[in-house]
Amino acid sequence: MGFQKGFLWGGASAANQYEGGIFEGGRGLANVDVCPAGKDRNAVITGHRKMLEMDEEHIYPGVQAVDFYHRFREDIRLLGEMGFQAFRLSIAWTRIFPNGDEEEPNEEGLRFYEEVFQECRKYGIQPLVTISHFDCPISLIKKYGGWRSRKMIDFYLRLCRTLFTRYKEYVTLWLTFNEINMILHAPFMGAGLCFEEGEEEEKIKYQAAHHELVASALAVKLAHEINPENKVGCMFAAGSAYPYTCKPEDVWEALLVDQENYFFVDVQARGYYPTYAVKRLKKKGVFPVMEEKDPQILRNYPVDFVSFSYYNSRCIAAPGGNSEEAEGNLFKSAKNPYLTFSDWGWPIDPLGFRITLNQIYDRYQKPLFVVENGLGAVDTPDERGYVEDDYRISYLRDHIRAMRDAVEEDGVDLMGYTSWAPVDLISAGSGEMRKRYGFVYVDKQEDGRGTLDRTPKKSFYWYKKVIASNGEDMD
Ligand code: BGP
């Protein structure tokens, strides 16, 4: 019982938060590079402050990140030591196509990931590759406005073809877009969208989302054509919406929030726009312009599996209530009085994980893959750089237990679990370094000082045991 044989244990990362080296190897500039840390970050990632170049007055934490670009051998060795079977990483689009629209890829960029995959192979680690983790070349934003343009589909597919062909012998697990539903909450970071004064933002967001959905379906088609062994998943930011009370208005509002998120997966996994979305988007006048062939494309190429991030549940109150607000993964919601909260105010809800797993599986009946889950916390190393992160162990233990219940008791079909993020890296939401998720501590401070040395934390040894026992030994 417990997790199936072949269940993939590992960890997840993203190029822009991990690699650094953004001016090396012929790499071009991307949206994610110009999202500054600090007070202007939110305006930039939401597309309300246009920043398409770096300036002197801001700090851009992705420039160096934690230098995976130069230290990948050491990091992958550590992952191997923990017994990782899967490592989720993303491709920096601009390492492969620096401007996004070149005819030929950049060999140096291709070579970099090839070496990363070769290194993984040494330790029997299977790469799980996110094709775009919030990644869009700046040049395509300047020329076409990012994903608001349909032209993006072709550039994205060029990237996909290059990756599927070149890495055929190394990679068979792919995700098309990271947290595709984030386009509604962080549209510049998610899809390179910047808004002009007076523009209808929602219309643009759903149009861009449609382009990504078509691109995702065509990527599935291409992946299967190039290698029938390929398995392609969608990826969304999950976390069930609870009604704040049993008042029907709260229940209704929670349903709407869930549908807003499931919309993307409904299209990617079932292959068509769900009726609630057609009705509502049309009523609001934001239904996207489609080409005649689009419904057939969506229909013909659904994903093979559904992946998602889970950090917390959400709690939703009807407008006009007097609930307190809680933070969350780029979403705000009402504060759930029954839960505790992380250092960043995110709710901690392991049973919510089981609920979410069940709801997603009920809805799609496809294999699931948990590709992000973890605790962002402040770590205080001792003089040797060692961190006793019992709080992280406790978060992960509770969540992995809940996940095991979902598999063992409820029958959810789960392919694997990659926690966020095995080695400390830059936060996506805030750009901070001090918000750490890793099993491995990185010596880098908020102001950029530090040796970048890696030191395993207490959770490193704990997770190693969990993996070795296939989730049996979690003490
Ligand atoms: C998800 C992203 C990740 C990651 C994670 C944690 O939204 O896919 O890139 O960073 O959230 O969020 P944060 O870094 O804001 O703590």
Side-chain angles (χ1 to χ4, degrees), residues 64-67 71 74 441-444 450-454:
Q64 183 192 45
V66 293
D67 202 27
R71 292 166 198 253
E74 178 185 358
Y441 185 80
V442 175
D443 179 29
K444 176 169 177 171
T451 59
L452 292 167
D453 282 353
R454 277 52 175 160

Side-chain angles (χ1 to χ4, degrees), residues 441-475:
Y441 185 80
V442 175
D443 179 29
K444 176 169 177 171
Q445 308 315 312
E446 203 52 44
D447 60 7
R449 281 180 307 123
T451 59
L452 292 167
D453 282 353
R454 277 52 175 160
T455 312
K457 305 178 194 176
K458 188 173 179 182
S459 55
F460 179 99
Y461 303 99
W462 174 81
Y463 196 47
K464 180 175 177 162
K465 218 170 52 171
V466 173
I467 297 177
S469 64
N470 197 21
E472 289 301 314
D473 184 358
M474 285 196 250
D475 296 335

Side-chain angles (χ1 to χ4, degrees), residues 17 133-134 178-179 311 329 346 372 420 427-429 435 437:
Q17 295 166 258
H133 192 122
F134 297 152
N178 178 62
E179 292 188 335
Y311 292 92
N329 187 5
W346 293 18
E372 283 184 36
W420 186 266
S427 156
K435 188 178 190 189
Y437 286 85

Side-chain angles (χ1 to χ4, degrees), residues 35-98:
C35 296
K39 63 172 180 32
D40 294 329
R41 185 174 182 87
N42 202 50
V44 173
I45 68 177
T46 54
H48 296 122
R49 175 170 174 162
K50 199 172 189 168
M51 190 173 281
L52 300 184
E53 261 133 42
M54 293 183 174
D55 63 23
E56 296 290 312
E57 86 194 67
H58 291 92
I59 290 172
Y60 301 92
V63 171
Q64 183 192 45
V66 293
D67 202 27
F68 177 73
Y69 188 65
H70 296 107
R71 292 166 198 253
F72 66 93
R73 291 204 162 79
E74 178 185 358
D75 284 4
I76 295 169
R77 182 179 57 71
L78 287 165
L79 307 186
E81 203 182 315
M82 270 187 282
F84 271 38
Q85 294 137 357
F87 172 41
R88 176 176 174 229
L89 73 163
S90 78
I91 302 286
W93 187 336
T94 54
R95 280 203 195 285
I96 312 298
F97 290 100

